[in-house]
Amino acid sequence: MPDSPVPPGPAAVLFDMDGTLVDTEHLWWQAAAELAAELEVTLTDDDLPEVLGRPVEHTAAHLHRTSGTDRAEAELAARLNESFSSKVAAEVVPRPGALALLTELRDAAVPTALVSASPRRVVDLVLSSLGSQWFTITLAAEDTERTKPDPAPYLAAADRLGLDPAACVAVEDTPTGVASAHAAGCNVLAVPSAVPIAAAERITLLESLEQADLALLGRLAAGPAAAPAERHPA
């Protein structure tokens, strides 16, 4: 019996950073929780959607609103950035399977983009540890007028690569990031870090990047008919 044909690889793979490639979401949560404590607010699981996967301005506005503080939102955002940056500088740990997948994509000459809602300062700190050589292009929060969950970051990444977003696979870990990539027209591989993500058309769920490889990404890039949304067991 002949072997099944191997699907071509994706035109490009567009990676989120925090919580997807590196284990930094808990550092962002720590920074937000510490600032919240200063404002006499205790963060709970109810606050997760307003913190994880969100740009600093969104989280600062949330803390400002829930605490009733008279401190300016811009001041809170600056404090969050400073705290998170110092934590990232001291601790950057790749997520399981991240480096192996990046290596496979590099060896197959598949273009990659880093598409982050973190500020450039934090992105560069991570890249100094993870290595910038993995990525064809990198985008930080300042590189688009609007950030996640708006589709602008993923549209910009595909445009810079000269590609149709529908030919690309985005890899995300939060509902916010998935919404951004999905709205841009990408097929999405979601590996939830802290907040559950619902399977849907063009959204495939994995429990770890250790389960991802070039063949899977090629099937996802082929489109919904070839790769319906599904959850892969561990």
Side-chain angles (χ1 to χ4, degrees):
M1 182 177 181
D3 293 336
S4 299
V6 177
V13 182
L14 317 177
F15 287 96
D16 171 57
M17 185 179 75
D18 297 304
T20 299
L21 289 177
V22 289
D23 191 14
T24 50
E25 287 287 25
H26 71 288
L27 301 179
W28 177 241
W29 179 262
Q30 286 176 15
E34 289 168 5
L35 181 55
E38 287 184 26
L39 301 172
E40 301 183 346
V41 171
T42 300
L43 295 186
T44 69
D45 287 350
D46 291 340
D47 298 290
L48 284 170
E50 307 299 333
V51 177
L52 296 188
R54 293 291 188 174
V56 61
E57 293 82 6
H58 184 99
T59 300
H62 175 66
L63 293 178
H64 186 273
R65 183 172 58 253
T66 56
S67 68
T69 181
D70 57 2
R71 294 166 64 177
E73 288 183 22
E75 178 190 348
L76 300 182
R79 285 290 309 280
L80 284 169
N81 269 335
E82 179 182 1
S83 176
F84 183 51
S85 296
S86 65
K87 293 178 188 299
V88 169
E91 180 185 345
V92 174
V93 179
R95 296 286 294 167
L99 293 179
L101 183 57
L102 287 170
T103 299
E104 187 176 9
L105 293 171
R106 180 195 62 193
D107 293 347
V110 175
T112 56
L114 188 69
V115 185
S116 179
S118 287
R120 173 56 63 178
R121 176 185 177 188
V122 174
V123 170
D124 288 344
L125 281 172
V126 171
L127 290 175
S128 69
S129 177
L130 186 66
S132 60
Q133 75 277 4
W134 299 113
F135 306 103
T136 310
I137 61 168
T138 66
L139 282 84
E142 300 93 331
D143 293 322
T144 54
E145 185 176 345
R146 297 174 301 280
T147 189
K148 303 172 187 179
D150 192 276
Y154 282 102
L155 291 173
D159 182 65
R160 290 193 188 186
L161 293 170
L163 297 170
D164 182 346
C168 303
V169 176
V171 186
E172 275 283 356
D173 74 304
T174 66
T176 300
V178 167
S180 173
H182 194 263
C186 301
N187 288 287
V188 184
L189 177 60
V191 185
S193 57
V195 180
I197 296 172
E201 187 178 51
R202 295 189 292 111
I203 299 173
T204 296
L205 302 183
L206 291 183
E207 294 182 1
S208 170
L209 283 180
E210 293 172 300
Q211 300 167 270
D213 58 17
L214 183 60
L216 172 63
L217 294 172
R219 291 196 296 273
L220 300 186
E230 57 186 18
R231 174 178 288 278
H232 291 250

